[in-house]
Amino acid sequence: MKYLYFTNSAVLLMLGAVLLLVWWRHRTQAFARDLACSTMAAGLSSASYYFYRHAPPPYEQLAFAVGLCATILNLLFMSSGVMRLAGRRLHPVAALAMLAAMALVLILPSYANKLAYWPMVVLGVTCGLGALAAWWMRGASALERGVGPMLMVLGLNQLPLVYAGEEGLAANLFLSTALRTALVCVLLFAALARSAREARKLSARFALLTEHSQQGVVVTDGRRILHANPAALAIYGLAPALGAPERLAQLPESSFSAAALAGVHRQLQEGTLALANWEGRRKVADGQWRDLRFSAWRIDWEGESATQLLITDDTERIASARELQHQASHDELTGLPNRSVLMERLAQCCLADRSGAPHTLVVLNIDRFKLFNQSQGHLAGDRVLQAFAAKLRAALAPGAELMRLGGDEFAILEPGAAGAREMAQRLRAVCAQPLAVADGEFFIDASMGMAVYPLNAAEPDALLRAANAAMYQAKRTPGTALALAEQRFELMSSQALEQEQALRKGIRNQEIHLHFQPKVDATTGRLLAFEALARWHRPGIGDISPVEFIAIAEHTGLIAELGAMLLREACRQIALWRAAFGECVPVAVNVSPVQLLDPGFLQLVEQALAQHGVPARYLTLEITESAAVDNLDDTRLQLQQLRELGVQVAMDDFGTGFSSLSMLRNLPLHTLKIDRALIDPLPAADAVAVVRAICQLADALQLRVVAEGIETSAHALAARLAGCHELQGFHFARPMPPQEATQWLRLGLEGAPTPELAGVAGQD
């Protein structure tokens, strides 16, 4: 009998160990782990009962406790394993409840009844699990459907113990060993079948992922190609066919790099490398070159260690990147490199080449190119640029590069400096030849600036600035011209830029203010009006001549903003004077041609007057003679609207331009201001005759005449005798700030004459 106990325990422990081994190799088969624990607990329970019956005190109590725990664990793990086999999970709360219930049932009966109660508990739990398993797995495979009935038979094996007690132990142990062995065999086959199904499922999933993947997938063991999906074959120009994967390894070394792949495979298998990445151009079976990117890692393939290779075809992406790079660095119209390429080349010449080897840079700008776009259209202008670029490219010396910087500006960078004179001759020859395009033949002129590294500059930006400054200097010469870089040219450009930036800041910070110069009656000397003149006191520099900053404002387009600011400032001062004295004299404000041609200028004047509550009669606008001549029709319309508004208009600098009687008659003017160039020679007889003629003409047209530039009493007397109505100049007062002008206005409103006219008024 003893041998039967130990045989049963040993067999059950071995069967449990086999199930554990199955679970260890296939971790997804968790039911095998739980039923292995149940089987081993059943074997431990059998051995514990033997020791309980034959061990001396107090060891029999220890054997009893071990047997009790083993029985409970057997039933608990059997319940969990069967439920996992059926695709269910034993909830932890239910497991605790079962544990407590079984402990009570197995502990409470007296010793005499334990041998009857324990088999009944095992029978009930096992048969119940068998019945549930049969129901749960009614749709499973035939092998798994047999688990339920076998469990019920295993439970019924407890009947000999229930009816015969200890006399039925032998039959129970024998049948338990046989039934458990059969059940474990069924479970082993079920686990293997499930593992096979999962393997097939994973294989199908792998095939589904790889067969339809756009990336190539190759599996190799280092010697053979075990698998290659259609994308990998297509990447290497091979058609899917029998033996096609093996042909990958037979491709030339430049195609598949089998030797390099073998080295990567060895590192991955040895564990010295977890993931490998590399890329390169490969020549595939059809002779084309492809840009490929590779990734490789270790995998298990059919139970063996292998390397999986992921291949990405980056040919189109890299080609697109190259195209984008070309577009970013080349001009779309001419196909020439652009400014960014020029700066790279200059950096290479000036920074990378430490030997100081000379290079010649020419910046070339087409003169009056806007005429092509305005007269012939932008399409013709583009054709001219393309033809000119082709001519320049053909005239380049070996090693020279041509770039288009934008618009009608090009640059030529040529190694060396000895051929600078020859280059200039070639470029002049190009400009002398007509450009034949679809719209006809065109002749063009170009302004060119030449700078030499390191003679003119040692840095890329400085070299380009020097060439640009020379080019702008060349523009001062009519026709095609070339200027060599000089430091003074760059200094002039630098100063111009500095002044422009300072002027922008000055306008923003309201650094420019108005001074006022009086206009007096030529006969009585009374104050008749003021002219508002802009003055700029630049912080840290001092006073800037209006001739300088007005020219900068006109050249940069700031004149409109500056003029609007000064117009509003003049209206504000008029409003202050009217508030202080209840009256004021007209104030003249100079208007640039840019302002006069602005369609919104009339609204600007209206807003300035309305903002400060100034009647229009207190504002006079002075326009230049050249502005009126250049845009006569537009000027006439604008002046007519200003006169209708009530604003008086004066023509400034009259007598030095190209005015005609017809123009004076048609323009709605109020005043003529004789230029100081005609006043300065007074009282010479010929100068007096010219001024008198202008005054007579003005009288005929009912225009008032102002003589500006009066610097002496002789000037004043001669101008009055010649017929001028008003006088203005340093002889009376220089332009003064508002505080001093206020004193003049007070005297003028009181009717006091100007002291400088004493002894002049009344003389004939």
Side-chain angles (χ1 to χ4, degrees), residues 78 126-127 129-131 133-134 142-157 175 178-187:
M78 182 184 295
T126 306
C127 288
L129 279 175
L143 193 65
E144 293 180 358
R145 287 200 303 270
V147 172
M150 292 184 72
L151 283 173
M152 288 188 285
V153 173
L154 183 63
L156 293 175
N157 182 44
L175 291 175
L179 290 172
R180 282 278 186 175
T181 301
L183 178 61
V184 169
C185 290
V186 170
L187 292 174

Side-chain angles (χ1 to χ4, degrees), residues 334-348:
T334 62
L336 295 174
N338 58 17
R339 181 182 293 271
S340 63
V341 176
L342 172 64
M343 299 311 298
E344 290 179 7
R345 298 292 187 269
L346 290 178
Q348 293 171 4

Side-chain angles (χ1 to χ4, degrees), residues 444-503:
I444 64 171
D445 292 321
S447 299
M448 296 171 280
M450 179 181 292
V452 177
Y453 167 83
L455 178 62
N456 299 117
E459 300 293 334
D461 290 338
L463 188 64
L464 183 57
R465 286 199 306 270
N468 267 319
M471 182 269 291
Y472 283 113
Q473 186 67 20
K475 279 189 172 294
R476 299 186 178 185
T477 302
T480 296
L482 183 143
L484 300 178
E486 296 182 25
Q487 187 176 6
R488 62 188 182 93
F489 295 162
E490 188 176 357
L491 183 60
M492 290 164 56
S493 299
S494 176
Q495 289 176 343
L497 177 63
E498 180 188 359
Q499 290 177 348
E500 175 189 337
Q501 297 300 316
L503 180 58

Side-chain angles (χ1 to χ4, degrees), residues 53-112:
R53 294 299 307 273
H54 299 91
Y59 296 107
E60 80 278 4
Q61 296 300 323
L62 177 62
F64 174 79
V66 172
L68 175 64
C69 293
T71 301
I72 294 174
L73 291 176
N74 169 32
L75 297 177
L76 193 62
F77 276 111
M78 182 184 295
S79 302
S80 176
V82 170
M83 293 185 70
R84 287 183 184 276
L85 182 65
R88 301 169 182 271
R89 296 292 297 273
L90 180 61
H91 197 277
V93 176
L96 290 174
M98 289 178 60
L99 180 65
M102 287 186 293
L104 289 173
V105 172
L106 295 176
I107 293 174
L108 290 179
S110 62
Y111 170 77

Side-chain angles (χ1 to χ4, degrees), residues 189 496 597 659 661 715 721:
F189 282 116
L597 295 177
S659 303
L661 293 177
H715 284 163
L721 294 177

